[in-house]
Amino acid sequence: MRKTLFAAVGLIALASESVSATPADYKDPLDPSTLTIIRSQFTKVMELANRHDVNALHEMFWQSPSAVIVAKSGNPSSEGNWAGFWGNEAIDQKLHAIAASGPVVLQPDFSKLKVVGLTHDVAESYAPITITVSYAGQDGTPKPFLMIMNWIKVGKKWRIASEVILPVPPAPAVKE
């Protein structure tokens, strides 16, 4: 038992080192001003969502059948009660359904917003976020989520290629 515990602690320590370690010669493919633009776009998305401005949100997305939102679905399926909504028509329908469900409040932790370049025309953003919504049986209680977005440069503008909203499960009870 003790060996298993030490092995587990060792693996966790190695994993946490690899997650936080960055090679000394790494250079983000995007310059700081571009990363600032994407941060600004993220902020704009949050403002538009809180105003239920679905038409303006539509314009923030990459106009492609490959654009996707992963979010709570209204109907249980083989994917559970979360699913991918692919293409702009499906995204628009999902955003309209959420907006019509009642108040929606997104409160990102901007102090933890991270934006990184993946290539010269693709970036990723990550932020913990509290969402209050009554959509698909949710009771309107603020709950923690993680929001991960991939951004693609289309012409001179950055557009959302994917938006993945992950619920943060409650911490397991500590056994004594």
Side-chain angles (χ1 to χ4, degrees):
M1 174 77 167
R2 191 174 232 182
K3 286 182 183 178
T4 304
L5 178 61
F6 285 128
V9 168
L11 286 174
I12 291 169
L14 283 174
S16 65
E17 285 178 10
S18 66
V19 168
S20 63
T22 303
D25 62 345
Y26 175 78
K27 182 175 183 321
D28 196 301
L30 298 174
D31 60 58
S33 66
T34 300
L35 296 172
T36 298
I37 289 168
I38 297 166
R39 285 180 193 282
S40 173
Q41 290 291 92
F42 178 89
T43 300
K44 182 177 178 182
V45 169
M46 297 301 110
E47 291 168 358
L48 295 172
N50 285 331
R51 287 197 324 249
H52 295 194
D53 192 340
V54 177
N55 293 330
L57 284 169
H58 171 86
E59 296 301 320
M60 299 290 297
F61 278 85
W62 178 34
Q63 300 303 300
S64 167
S66 297
V68 64
I69 286 182
V70 177
K72 185 165 182 63
S73 71
N75 303 314
S77 69
S78 62
E79 296 173 302
N81 60 354
W82 288 76
F85 299 88
W86 291 90
N88 301 101
E89 185 177 332
I91 290 170
D92 290 348
Q93 288 175 3
K94 170 54 72 187
L95 294 176
H96 279 287
I98 293 170
S101 71
V104 178
V105 180
L106 285 75
Q107 296 174 297
D109 182 345
F110 286 107
S111 72
K112 294 182 180 169
L113 173 61
K114 176 96 172 154
V115 179
V116 296
L118 301 178
T119 68
H120 292 289
D121 57 1
V122 176
E124 186 170 63
S125 63
Y126 161 92
I129 184 170
T130 300
I131 301 176
T132 304
V133 65
S134 298
Y135 176 74
Q138 296 174 90
D139 64 7
T141 302
K143 293 189 176 117
F145 292 84
L146 300 175
M147 181 171 282
I148 301 135
M149 299 170 89
N150 285 315
W151 300 83
I152 187 167
K153 190 171 186 182
V154 179
K156 294 184 179 186
K157 297 189 178 189
W158 286 92
R159 301 291 185 211
I160 303 163
S162 67
E163 179 178 301
V164 179
I165 304 165
L166 296 173
V168 176
V174 177
K175 294 181 182 177
E176 292 184 30

